Amino acid sequence: MHVSPTGLVFAIYYPVLAAIGVPANLAVIVILSRGRCGLSRGITYYMVSMAVTDLLVMISAVILNRIAGIYFPVSFLSITPVCSLQIALNFAIADSSVWFTVAFTFDRFMAICCQKLKIQYCTEKTAAWVIGIVSTMSCLKCAFLYFIYEPFYITNNIPWFCSIKSIFYTSPVWIAYDWIRSISTSCFPFILILLFNALTVRHILVASRARRRLRAHSNGETQSDPEMESRRKSIILLFCISGSFILLYLPFLVNFLYIRIAKFSYFSGSNFNESNFIMQESGYMLQLLSSCVNPFIYAGTQKKFREELKNGVKYPLSLIVKLFK
């Protein structure tokens, strides 16, 4: 059986992505939940929630959808009600992941730029409420997607695969819903993250110049500034997370805008040689890749996280060594 080079790339890429993303996000959830990384409870809540949704993306979108679709094209997951439910869940999880990143970016913006509101907003209670509201709204918003699919064909009274109903493209209600859902998942979060980061950078530049002038007049330039050092670590974490999100979601956003402007169908079939299909799938590949990047960002920017990770790796190895002694 002939397999195109593009199809082979997909067949290798998604298993490798799952093999890296699942254990990496599991490690993040365990380490951050222990509360030994020197982070506030509020920011820990956001980071754990992002790791949980990233893990769910790996399980639902990568393993049960992409890998199962490639290696097991006809299975229990192909039955229409199961297929419809899985698609709705995939969109809900992806939507939650995006908005958790927005919530994290806004929380850091408040902590860095709005000192008067920081005490009231940047708390674990507020973080818990925001996470709960975002999760609920994402599920409610994407639940309607379950009803837009119909069987591709029926065999022995069993409906197979998911085909979008024609009314989805003609009904003003469904068209409006699709626009609102798509914009709220792609364009709007992208703009908000860029806006909050731009405002944060502007505030940092102004505050840094003012603080350097103040310290130069009082203590001189040579002394270290513990407050600026602590703020610098927080800023690095923020920009790495939001920056990776912007870079990896940008092709997906460009593809979304192209599809809307050119009125190209999302579901045109799996023609691996079609440029539109390759562009669309490339955007999805990078979007899914964003769900396993954060663990490496934490390991690269957070010293205490690296220490906890090393301890977690050493513990089972020490047990094995003791067993063989």
Side-chain angles (χ1 to χ4, degrees), residues 264-325:
F264 172 72
S265 175
Y266 274 105
F267 308 94
S268 60
S270 300
N271 184 356
F272 294 129
N273 297 317
E274 185 181 345
S275 60
N276 287 332
F277 177 82
I278 293 174
M279 183 179 71
Q280 177 183 334
E281 285 300 313
S282 299
Y284 288 147
M285 290 170 71
L286 291 176
Q287 180 193 21
L288 294 174
L289 176 63
S290 68
S291 294
C292 73
V293 169
N294 283 351
F296 299 96
I297 292 176
Y298 303 153
T301 61
Q302 301 294 307
K303 182 179 178 181
K304 291 185 178 180
F305 182 89
R306 288 195 298 272
E307 293 174 355
E308 288 294 313
L309 183 61
K310 291 177 182 178
N311 293 334
V313 173
K314 290 178 181 178
Y315 180 72
L317 293 177
S318 63
L319 291 179
I320 295 173
V321 172
K322 289 179 181 180
L323 289 175
F324 285 95
K325 281 185 178 181

Side-chain angles (χ1 to χ4, degrees), residues 81-125:
V82 179
C83 174
S84 301
L85 179 61
Q86 185 185 16
I87 293 173
L89 284 175
N90 286 345
F91 278 105
I93 294 168
D95 188 83
S96 297
S97 179
V98 169
W99 281 101
F100 285 152
T101 305
V102 175
F104 170 80
T105 306
F106 181 72
D107 179 86
R108 293 300 83 200
F109 163 74
M110 295 290 287
I112 295 170
C113 304
C114 306
Q115 294 297 314
K116 293 182 179 180
L117 298 176
K118 172 184 175 181
I119 299 175
Q120 296 178 343
Y121 182 82
C122 298
T123 63
E124 60 179 289
K125 183 177 180 181

